[in-house]
Amino acid sequence: MKKILVAGAGGFIGGHLVKELIKKGHAVRAIDIKPLNEWYQVSEDADNYVLDLRLRENCHKAVNGCNEVFNFAADMGGMGFIENNKAACMITVLINTHLLIAARECGIDRYFYASSACVYNGDKQTDPDNPGLKESDAYPAMAEDGYGWEKLFSERMCRHFSEDFGLTTRVARFHNVYGPFGTFDGGREKAPAAICRKVIEAGITGKKDIVIWGDGLQTRSFMYIDDCIKGIQDIMYSNIKVPINLGSTEMVSINELVDIVEDIAGLKLQRKYDLDAPKGVRGRNSDNTLIRKYLNWEPSIPLRDGMKKTYDWIKEQIISEKDKKKIERFNK
Ligand code: NAD
């Protein structure tokens, strides 16, 4: 049994990993800046703390006494958030910097950093028919402004802490992760959750149309959370010393993603395209040559299956929220 710190444990991916590590019998210290009642999942068997990990002294407190660190803490969201909050995204650099310093001071055995496909050079993502981004496509560097540059810088800091101080670091570049217990409204949600929410709301209200950001022809691949959680652990305990893609290769256009959700909902909506909305790069897919070579595995949960589970969970949340409001009105 190990003592493991999960930073950003109140968020989507961190919350799922805490559950998995507890299930495996580890002692988990779970930390997030959000108040506990806002965490997506709270595992009672973990030591849960609310701390701002931008501060060096808090990182020391968080890391001290642990054997390993998984860092998911970031001020982030979907395109709507990262295009309009570049400074906030870049300030996240303080979290990884101070966690790495603390990891070195406290003699941590292994350190995992959650990077992103947003590190890739924008010039290699202009074609919707993207053949898949290879790890080397991050250079020459022209990452997503703000968020992507912070990720690229933090990746390199992990590399130099390994080279100069002997800290064992592992870095995965996630390509769009989706699933239950994540953000689906409020401005930080990503396309899969946002589309589920819009279709569910149309079903409830009888609205006949749906607004899509961009022209719907932009492409992405989406990885279901269970694949992500397996990949994170396999990469953490592997010998992979370079940043590596962790993503699905099932690339679809946003229109195709809407088709899937409509099919799950049994609805057909009129599409309205908002061409001025944030839309990100034109085409993005993961090249999985390296992960297949190292792990003899790659994410493979079909998009339709993962979207069904995500859709059902979001629907449950929206309906229970509506019921709560009805009860509140009734009690007034
Ligand atoms: P999330 O927003 O659900 O979780 C991040 C958590 O970090 C949040 O709960 C937030 O409150 C916490 N946090 C922010 N600032 C903090 C601070 N100062 N101190 C402590 N906690 C703080 O995001 P997620 O989807 O779970 O993503 C986890 C990680 O994976 C992030 O680093 C993200 O950049 C990366 N990533 C995610 C995706 C994806 O599709 N979800 C894709 C690429 C990379």
Side-chain angles (χ1 to χ4, degrees):
M1 190 179 90
K2 287 180 280 200
K3 177 102 187 186
I4 301 177
L5 167 66
V6 177
F12 168 45
I13 301 172
H16 281 278
L17 186 72
V18 170
K19 261 179 70 185
E20 178 70 14
L21 295 174
I22 296 267
K23 210 162 76 189
K24 290 193 164 154
H26 297 296
V28 176
R29 189 178 287 166
I31 298 190
D32 204 285
I33 195 172
K34 290 189 295 202
L36 265 183
N37 64 355
E38 290 177 23
W39 292 26
Y40 293 123
Q41 304 188 74
V42 179
S43 295
E44 281 177 9
D45 293 330
D47 293 330
N48 300 303
Y49 298 97
V50 175
L51 282 180
D52 181 349
L53 293 174
R54 286 171 298 192
L55 305 178
R56 184 168 172 182
E57 59 274 23
N58 285 348
C59 286
H60 198 91
K61 256 192 245 163
V63 170
N64 202 13
C66 289
N67 309 101
E68 295 175 353
V69 174
F70 286 90
N71 176 17
F72 302 107
D75 199 358
M76 61 86 68
M79 281 317 297
F81 181 81
I82 65 177
E83 277 200 6
N84 293 305
N85 295 276
K86 295 185 182 125
C89 289
M90 295 210 82
I91 288 170
T92 294
V93 76
L94 295 175
I95 301 176
N96 196 56
T97 305
H98 290 143
L99 279 177
L100 278 172
I101 292 171
R104 181 188 177 211
E105 286 168 353
C106 299
I108 287 296
D109 297 331
R110 266 171 201 270
Y111 184 101
F112 179 92
Y113 177 64
S115 185
S116 163
C118 287
V119 299
Y120 285 114
N121 187 316
D123 283 347
K124 305 201 171 167
Q125 303 173 79
T126 54
D127 184 354
D129 223 357
N130 191 303
L133 293 155
K134 292 191 284 297
E135 283 74 1
S136 55
D137 289 334
Y139 297 97
M142 216 237 308
E144 175 78 37
D145 203 6
Y147 177 72
W149 278 102
E150 189 278 320
K151 289 287 181 197
L152 197 61
F153 177 86
S154 292
E155 279 190 357
R156 287 195 84 91
M157 190 149 6
C158 289
R159 168 176 160 182
H160 296 306
F161 268 65
S162 290
E163 290 172 356
D164 295 359
F165 305 137
L167 182 70
T168 300
T169 61
R170 297 289 178 260
V171 176
R173 291 178 181 157
F174 300 163
H175 290 246
N176 290 298
V177 192
Y178 71 99
F181 297 100
T183 314
F184 63 90
D185 61 5
R188 289 181 188 249
E189 63 277 19
K190 298 185 163 201
I195 292 167
C196 285
R197 189 200 69 231
K198 288 178 187 178
V199 171
I200 293 162
E201 284 171 353
I204 293 173
T205 59
K207 209 169 159 241
K208 297 275 179 283
D209 51 40
I210 180 169
V211 176
I212 294 169
W213 287 9
D215 61 7
L217 301 175
Q218 66 274 35
T219 55
R220 296 289 184 278
S221 72
F222 300 95
M223 168 171 55
Y224 189 61
I225 185 70
D226 292 1
D227 271 338
C228 181
I229 294 299
K230 174 176 166 45
I232 287 168
Q233 296 169 88
D234 288 356
I235 291 168
M236 175 68 146
Y237 303 113
S238 74
N239 202 19
I240 308 171
K241 296 189 177 127
V242 291
I244 187 161
N245 280 333
L246 181 56
S248 162
T249 54
E250 187 184 347
M251 188 173 71
V252 292
S253 69
I254 296 302
N255 276 331
E256 287 167 332
L257 186 62
V258 178
D259 290 342
I260 290 175
V261 180
E262 283 180 338
D263 184 50
I264 292 168
L267 270 182
K268 216 55 198 140
L269 299 167
Q270 182 76 33
R271 296 179 190 187
K272 289 191 174 158
Y273 294 99
D274 181 355
L275 301 181
D276 296 325
K279 41 201 169 284
V281 295
R282 195 70 184 142
R284 176 176 289 166
N285 196 5
S286 180
D287 180 304
N288 285 353
T289 312
L290 207 58
I291 194 167
R292 276 199 302 268
K293 181 181 135 205
Y294 278 113
L295 298 180
N296 201 18
W297 173 86
E298 65 185 308
S300 63
I301 296 172
L303 184 57
R304 174 79 170 66
D305 297 358
M307 286 302 287
K308 169 83 174 99
K309 291 185 183 154
T310 309
Y311 177 92
D312 288 346
W313 180 80
I314 294 175
K315 189 167 180 185
E316 223 177 275
Q317 307 313 302
I318 290 176
I319 289 174
S320 67
E321 201 48 47
K322 274 174 73 82
D323 286 346
K324 260 190 260 158
K325 285 195 182 127
K326 258 191 246 156
I327 294 165
E328 274 165 23
R329 270 203 302 275
F330 182 77
N331 285 339
K332 266 186 196 163

